Amino acid sequence: MRVVVYSTRAYDEEFLARANADGRHELVFLEARLDATTAGAAAGAQAVCGFVNDRLDGAVLARLRDLGVGLVVLRCAGFNHVDLEAAARLGIAVGRVPAYSPHAIAEHTAALVLSLNRKIHRAYARVRDGNFALEGLLGFDLYGRTVGVVGTGAIGACFCRIMRGFGCQVLATDPQPSPACEALGVRYVPLAELLGASDIVSLHCPLTPQTHHLIGREALAAMKAGAMLVNTSRGAVLDTRAVIEALKRGHLGSLALDVYEEEADLFFRDLSSEVIRDDVFARLLTFPNVLVTAHQAFFTSEALAAIAATTIANLDAFAERGAPLHPVSVERLA
Ligand code: NAD
């Protein structure tokens, strides 16, 4: 099949080309993001391949259908950026990579917790500047602390296991509790109880209409004073403006983010010589107790290899049977 691959970086091309080494699919790599202005590049293709910040709304999907595209394969687990109802109406199948390496994201989350707690990001810069003072770098023992995990699917469960390894008490909330987590000693409680009892709150639920701004003013006020909040799920699960207010008041102790609700115009690009026009994001970067990575939690060689292999498997299945191996359907939004 001819497949136009949007939002391609050199690493995507390398891993996808390796997974498609026999050339059974014709992959056309584009650096551009998929949106209404770039959809036309899919002319002549049977499928497009997209990533987290590609725009797959009704208008873009209708344009793709007009061009003859029958399949969208996502190189990610999340599908919040796809209008699934429009895809179903237009007869476009959507495939994704449901679990490529939950360890990659869970381990990055743990790295954020450790770095933010022990101020490794600040210590690194200080030591290189010949400043060996410790003032301002005080952390706390993770051992014995309470960690609240919102969403214990593939990634959340992995993160629970890591935090149990540090000797933390782990509370969780999920409409579908995991017996494997319960066996680890994770205790399921309502969100309000989790927020009030946790020293660290980590978000691992998908972005859906129900979880949009799940952590807003009210939830932040319900958190323990001085607690740490970590988001490696999707940006809009957090209300960023409310988070900034909570940081300014001093109620929120610290914040680590790998995702941001307006990240599409920022992340995955080198903007180091440009002016950041997003004032909310720029404000976040001014806090000493905020640590941001640019959607890199998935970025391990194991994860990239698995993403590429599953993407090719989705294309193979569609070519053979008319449906991707891991389809996403409208029902998943319910
Ligand atoms: P998953 O589907 O295995 O698990 C999600 C869990 O969240 C499920 O158990 C579900 O029941 C639960 N959930 C749904 N609504 C909830 C709610 N309101 N409150 C609490 N829990 C709720 O997904 P996963 O593979 O663990 O991935 C989780 C999310 O992580 C993805 O949806 C994606 O947005 C994000 N992600 C981020 C990166 C990254 O690089 N930063 C990479 C992959 C995935």
Side-chain angles (χ1 to χ4, degrees):
M1 278 196 303
R2 184 177 165 86
V3 186
V4 174
V5 185
Y6 285 92
S7 296
T8 304
R9 296 293 176 270
Y11 46 82
D12 297 305
E13 186 166 346
E14 179 191 333
F15 281 85
L16 279 169
R18 209 181 293 161
N20 187 47
D22 61 4
R24 61 189 182 279
H25 300 291
E26 184 193 346
L27 305 181
V28 180
F29 295 103
L30 295 184
E31 203 177 314
R33 238 193 301 154
L34 172 58
D35 60 21
T37 61
T38 60
Q46 288 78 54
V48 298
C49 179
F51 195 46
V52 291
N53 291 322
D54 286 312
R55 183 178 279 268
L56 286 147
D57 59 16
V60 170
L61 289 167
R63 175 91 174 104
L64 292 174
R65 180 79 269 189
D66 286 346
L67 294 167
V69 171
L71 172 68
V72 169
V73 282
L74 302 170
R75 304 196 294 284
C76 53
F79 47 85
N80 51 284
H81 53 315
V82 185
D83 184 337
L84 292 177
E85 280 172 18
R89 199 172 54 247
L90 293 160
I92 297 182
V94 180
R96 67 169 181 144
V97 185
Y100 39 87
S101 170
H103 310 288
I105 297 95
E107 288 172 13
H108 188 78
T109 309
L112 289 174
V113 168
L114 290 166
S115 302
L116 188 57
N117 174 29
R118 306 303 294 266
K119 283 104 178 151
I120 302 297
H121 54 304
R122 302 186 66 201
Y124 175 81
R126 259 192 209 187
V127 168
R128 286 177 74 98
D129 196 33
N131 176 356
F132 309 114
L134 298 183
E135 283 80 3
L137 302 182
L138 190 66
F140 56 85
D141 285 6
L142 283 177
Y143 182 83
R145 293 283 177 156
T146 300
V147 178
V149 179
V150 179
T152 54
I155 297 167
C158 213
F159 182 67
C160 286
R161 202 161 42 243
I162 294 172
M163 298 323 282
R164 288 292 288 151
F166 276 106
C168 297
Q169 303 299 318
V170 180
L171 300 178
T173 188
D174 192 310
Q176 294 176 295
S178 145
C181 285
E182 284 171 324
L184 282 172
V186 173
R187 196 159 63 84
Y188 282 89
V189 295
L191 178 63
E193 187 180 337
L194 179 151
L195 294 172
S198 299
D199 300 295
I200 298 167
V201 173
S202 191
L203 306 178
H204 300 284
C205 58
L207 175 60
T208 63
Q210 290 76 38
T211 63
H212 183 267
H213 286 187
L214 180 72
I215 305 298
R217 190 162 298 156
E218 222 175 282
L220 288 158
M223 282 178 71
K224 224 173 166 176
M228 177 192 294
L229 179 60
V230 186
N231 187 13
T232 59
S233 63
R234 282 290 179 270
V237 176
L238 275 189
D239 177 346
T240 314
R241 286 185 161 79
V243 165
I244 288 174
E245 283 312 311
L247 284 164
K248 281 166 71 177
R249 277 204 320 279
H251 181 69
L252 184 60
S254 56
L255 172 73
L257 299 179
D258 186 53
V259 287
Y260 168 59
E261 41 186 333
E262 303 298 334
E263 70 178 49
D265 290 331
L266 295 167
F267 289 1
F268 306 116
R269 289 185 295 155
D270 179 2
L271 300 179
S272 55
S273 302
E274 296 186 27
V275 170
I276 300 292
R277 292 193 183 82
D278 181 331
D279 290 348
V280 175
F281 187 73
R283 180 67 178 100
L284 272 181
L285 298 185
T286 66
F287 292 97
N289 50 349
V290 171
L291 176 57
V292 181
T293 52
H295 209 137
Q296 76 172 79
F298 74 100
F299 202 56
T300 67
S301 49
E302 288 82 357
L304 289 190
I307 288 169
T310 306
T311 299
I312 298 299
N314 273 331
L315 295 172
D316 290 344
F318 185 81
E320 286 160 22
R321 305 190 292 276
L325 188 61
H326 299 288
V328 188
S329 60
V330 179
E331 291 74 52
R332 292 201 58 109
L333 283 177

